[in-house]
Amino acid sequence: MTVEPEPDVSVVVIVYNDEERLPTAVGSVLEQTLRNVEVIIADDCSTDGSYRVAQKLAAAHPGRVRAIRLPENSGGCGEPRNQGIKEARGRYVMFLDSDDTLERNACRNMVEAADRTGADLVSGLCVRVHLDNRHGKRTPWYPWLYRSTRTLDSAADLPDLLVFDTLSTNKCYRRAFLLDHGLTFPRGIHYEDLLFSAQAYLAARRITLIPNTVYHWNVVEKTAVKSISNRRGEIRNFADRVEIHRRIDAILARQGQDLLKLRKDIKFLKHDLVLYLRELPFLDDDYRHRFAELARGYIQDFPEEAYAELDRIHAICAQLLLREDWDGLMPAIDTLLNRHKISSPLAERDGRIYWTDRHLDDPKMRAVLDVTSLGYHTRPLHRMALRNRLTEYTVDGGDVVLAGELVNPLGVIGADARLGAELEFRARRRSLQTFRFPVPAVRHRGDTIAWRARIPLARRLRPLGIVDDVWDVRLHLTADGRRTTSRLTVGTVDLEHAGSVPVRPRLTRLLADRIEAQVSAKGHLAFRLTQHGRAARAGRAAVERRLHSRPVRAAKGAYRTLRAVRKDLNSGTRKLQVYDRVLCKLPIRKGTVVFESHLGRQYSDSPRAIFEELRRRKAPITPIWSYAGERPEGFPRDVELVRRWSWRYLKALAQAEFWIDNQGYPLRLAKRPETTYIQTWHGSALKRMGFDEPSLRMLSAQEQRSYQQALDRFDHFVVRSEHDVRTLARAYRIPEEKLLRTGYPRNDALVRVREGAPLPPEARRLAERLGLDPGRRVLLYAPTFRAHSDGRVRDFSFPFDLDAFVARFGDDHTLLVRAHYLNRLTLPPSVAGRVIDVSAEPDITPLLLLADCLITDYSSVMFDYALLQRPIVFYAHDWEEYAKDTRGTYFDLLAEAPGPVPRTEEELFAAIADLNTVRTTYEARLKEFVDKYGEYDRGDAAARIVDRFFGTAGEAR
């Protein structure tokens, strides 16, 4: 008797009523590069021809394909997979759905990894393939888990794996492992993958992750029939999800996996719950109540640590749901889906801003509802995205009647404001048509702005009819000349039964002759072109046949080619190639100087000081400034401006005689030998920099070489002390001959004022603009940023109580706060006028000149401000954490600081209260500090640099 060899892998393909796609799925297994693979087709008692197709495939591939059929439909994916496991003969088992496919090398890559590491479970990257997306959209499924090959001894070594990748289909299981642990899918309940994957993760002795794509998850988003897991309007759907999570919780509890449980709870609140919240605005009260009961029964017992990890709007939604506050929850859901939208009228109490004025008597809810840090109250009207709730939608012949209400947060639109509005219908595809209609009725209604309009769509809207099938609607509201734009949020307004409107497309009425309302993915009103009647549908079919004809396909191909060429021409890779091969062959433009400050973010710092010295001398140069972002702000109007990384930017750099910046032009742009690069840098160092940083030393040899090549572009490097020579110059490997011991040009103004010069006009204008009272002492708080261990910047939060500060010092002090450019700052209304956010000021030098005292922590601004010989207070509340992380510092600030170093809020306030004593106590040490860290700052740095490279004062170059 011949014994058949044991397959390496048994792939269980489950199918239910999917006869058309089943052969493709099975084919992706038969075409694997690992040949010793068997297919088990498990048919869940289909009512179409799926089982007949399975039998034909088995007959066509004897020994490689087997087909089994369940006696009755199980109603889910779990039981067919269980039956497949029973039939499997391979050393390993994998699962595949009939509408998906395996990547060609999936089995080989997973089996090799399992055999090499001895893992019970191997998991690879799944890619969602969006079949109905015309751009061929493909979305990796949690790709950060699969950046490299790694083997885990426990799921606890990587909690994100259990929490996020809950699929069973992108994995390869050792069959003996499944049988020994009795691992099966639950029966009669949805979301069986979540439980099975959790059980497998927790039981596996070893888990290996590989960076290879193994599974193609085919997704059709625009389908009338949703999959079981996507039917979130059915209450059983949520009930099953909660039950599955309860079962997982029980396993985690038995194993004492508290950390995994916490991480899973956080993910449930941030992800699972949100999937259902987004549907609530469109469902009836009975469903909402039943949903809230189920949610409350599960999430109300989550630990406080889980809620503490939520961002503000997630926490608000969760707490309002627990209390079934639908009036507060519906707007919160709108903001949850549209993060920049202000959806609630808000309330101000005791100088704080709250989402709603309800529940504020509950201390816990008061903390949750506090949205001061989101900065809603600081936004001007034109930067507010206001919730615009649709209150009426009717179709009257060829007209559509629309009405709505805009939220008016904190009464930002005054009761006496002159109001006007228009509705805009815009084709979703770019560069197509826009139609605008006036809104005659706009008025205040309580704390909202109500509007109503009759739109003659049939007469006025003229779509093309082929490529503009979807139309979005926006309302443009003006109040006293200020404008805000909003989308129309659909809630319980009935769009389905309102009917459609006839339209006359410009190109053909055979593709579409009507337009009907629908809800967008973000919950907004949109319109889609449709056909009406059998003749129209037949006509559409005829036109679509023509659209697939050879000439039309050729035209579409040409268009796609042109679009691809345009995209390629603007890609970073192509720009670098053209820069190296073409632009750098152009002649140098004598006298051209490209300036850049802080990567194009600002017109500031030493590049600005050098530029203004050149302009003062009327030097014969052609200045060009780079800017980042969409619009340049704060830059001089009489110079050429180029957007960073644009073609004009690259051409300017390629032909410039001088580069002058304070941080670094793009690392991969080579500098021509004929170009002189003056690197002014942006501050002396406390924290270790460059190759002194452990993270940089851990880069590969090639990465370090590339970084060094970028540094080697510097022809000159400005230093302000021998400390800079010992630290920055050494860390960046700058040779002695490149050092410019001139001091920082940006500090010339500080030195001159210290020596008795009057405040420069720019500082005086700034004081007037900020409304600074000459009789009040000005304090400048300028902290540096903090980073997580992985390098991500932490959110900014004040390390002392602002309200307590104002209560103590607000009568005779003004606090200017300048957050690091990597942080975002929001001040509460309670401190208005006494604490001023100056983070948006492009140049810090005028702020330093206005300040009577600097409060900082570890920012390099300490080295600059010290030149003024004014008091400095170092609030080092987290010195141990900051100084003793992996990066380290060049000196002990606590020992050398030329000012007090309070560690607590009380100590900080005590130092501020007695600045005269601080001045006298630290006067001598402050001079020593300047001599050590600013010895070359003499007030003439810009002049010396201009003299050396552009000729002395009055000379032509």
Side-chain angles (χ1 to χ4, degrees), residues 9 11-13 21-35 37-39 41 57 61 64-65 94-108 169 213-218:
V9 184
V11 180
V12 178
V13 182
R21 292 179 293 189
L22 177 60
T24 301
V26 173
S28 74
V29 183
L30 297 176
E31 295 166 4
Q32 288 289 300
T33 55
L34 180 67
R35 303 304 298 170
V37 176
E38 73 166 354
V39 182
I41 305 174
L57 289 168
H61 303 278
R64 296 200 68 195
V65 178
M94 294 173 62
F95 303 109
L96 175 64
D97 293 347
S98 61
D99 53 348
D100 300 330
T101 58
L102 292 181
E103 195 276 335
R104 192 164 181 265
N105 298 294
C107 292
R108 178 179 298 281
T169 49
T213 298
V214 299
Y215 196 88
H216 293 139
W217 179 359
N218 296 322

Side-chain angles (χ1 to χ4, degrees), residues 676-707:
T676 299
Y677 188 171
I678 303 173
Q679 173 55 258
T680 67
W681 206 239
H682 53 276
S684 300
L686 170 63
K687 200 95 171 182
R688 294 189 179 275
M689 307 288 285
F691 285 98
D692 288 346
E693 292 187 51
S695 61
L696 193 54
R697 295 197 299 269
M698 291 173 63
L699 297 177
S700 67
Q702 178 57 47
E703 289 172 320
Q704 291 193 38
R705 280 194 299 272
S706 298
Y707 189 64

Side-chain angles (χ1 to χ4, degrees), residues 801-811 830-832 834-835 909:
D801 188 330
L802 267 189
D803 288 308
F805 173 90
V806 167
R808 184 165 179 180
F809 302 106
D811 291 340
S830 58
V831 301
R834 291 162 293 181
V835 182
F909 288 177

Side-chain angles (χ1 to χ4, degrees), residues 365-418:
M365 282 299 290
R366 194 178 183 93
V368 169
L369 295 171
D370 189 334
V371 293
T372 308
S373 62
L374 299 182
Y376 293 147
H377 60 287
T378 66
R379 297 183 194 174
L381 183 62
H382 71 274
R383 291 186 55 233
M384 287 185 171
L386 302 178
R387 185 176 198 237
N388 191 348
R389 184 174 65 90
L390 190 66
T391 58
E392 180 183 352
Y393 179 88
T394 56
V395 174
D396 184 6
D399 295 350
V400 169
V401 178
L402 296 173
E405 292 182 340
L406 279 96
V407 68
N408 187 13
L410 302 172
V412 66
I413 302 173
D416 57 349
R418 300 185 309 276

Side-chain angles (χ1 to χ4, degrees), residues 421-553:
E422 67 175 4
L423 282 165
E424 174 189 271
F425 285 66
R426 179 188 298 177
R428 185 167 293 178
R429 292 195 184 181
R430 293 181 180 179
S431 304
L432 295 178
Q433 302 182 91
T434 296
F435 296 88
R436 291 184 173 87
F437 304 91
V439 177
V442 190
R443 62 185 180 85
H444 282 271
R445 181 190 292 165
D447 58 2
T448 68
I449 306 297
W451 59 271
R452 191 173 189 273
R454 175 180 286 267
I455 310 300
L457 283 188
R459 289 184 289 113
R460 293 279 308 281
L461 186 71
R462 295 295 307 279
L464 297 176
I466 295 179
V467 293
D468 54 352
D469 56 328
V470 179
W471 292 75
D472 293 313
V473 187
R474 292 171 174 84
L475 180 87
H476 301 296
L477 174 75
T478 57
D480 287 339
R482 299 173 299 160
R483 172 167 154 159
T484 181
T485 298
S486 58
R487 300 287 299 272
L488 277 55
T489 297
V490 180
T492 56
V493 172
D494 185 4
L495 302 181
E496 184 177 354
H497 299 99
S500 58
V501 178
V503 291
R504 293 179 296 154
R506 297 178 187 275
L507 299 181
T508 175
R509 299 181 67 181
L510 295 177
L511 276 180
D513 62 356
R514 304 188 75 82
I515 193 167
E516 62 183 25
Q518 64 175 29
V519 183
S520 73
K522 296 286 189 179
H524 297 132
L525 178 67
F527 287 85
R528 179 178 291 277
L529 296 180
T530 62
Q531 308 82 42
H532 181 70
R534 182 178 302 175
R537 289 193 291 272
R540 180 179 178 88
V543 172
E544 286 184 338
R545 284 195 297 272
R546 295 185 192 127
L547 288 175
H548 293 289
S549 64
R550 183 176 297 176
V552 174
R553 287 202 306 270

Side-chain angles (χ1 to χ4, degrees), residues 152-220:
L152 312 173
D153 293 325
S154 166
D157 295 342
L158 184 62
D160 280 358
L161 184 63
L162 179 141
V163 170
F164 290 100
D165 188 359
T166 57
L167 300 177
S168 66
T169 49
N170 60 333
K171 297 171 177 60
C172 179
Y173 310 85
R174 195 178 298 274
R175 182 164 66 95
F177 160 70
L178 296 179
L179 297 177
D180 290 346
H181 290 83
L183 292 180
T184 59
F185 290 86
R187 301 169 178 84
I189 190 170
H190 303 326
Y191 302 108
E192 62 285 324
D193 267 23
L194 273 69
L195 181 58
F196 181 84
S197 297
Q199 291 173 321
Y201 284 140
L202 295 169
R205 293 177 300 104
R206 188 169 297 160
I207 302 168
T208 295
L209 310 182
I210 60 175
N212 311 85
T213 298
V214 299
Y215 196 88
H216 293 139
W217 179 359
N218 296 322
V219 180
V220 179

Side-chain angles (χ1 to χ4, degrees), residues 778-782 815-818 838 847-848 851 853-855:
V778 176
L779 309 177
L780 175 63
Y781 178 46
L815 181 65
L816 307 180
V817 183
R818 184 180 178 84
V838 293
L847 295 169
L848 299 179
C853 169
L854 172 70
I855 304 171

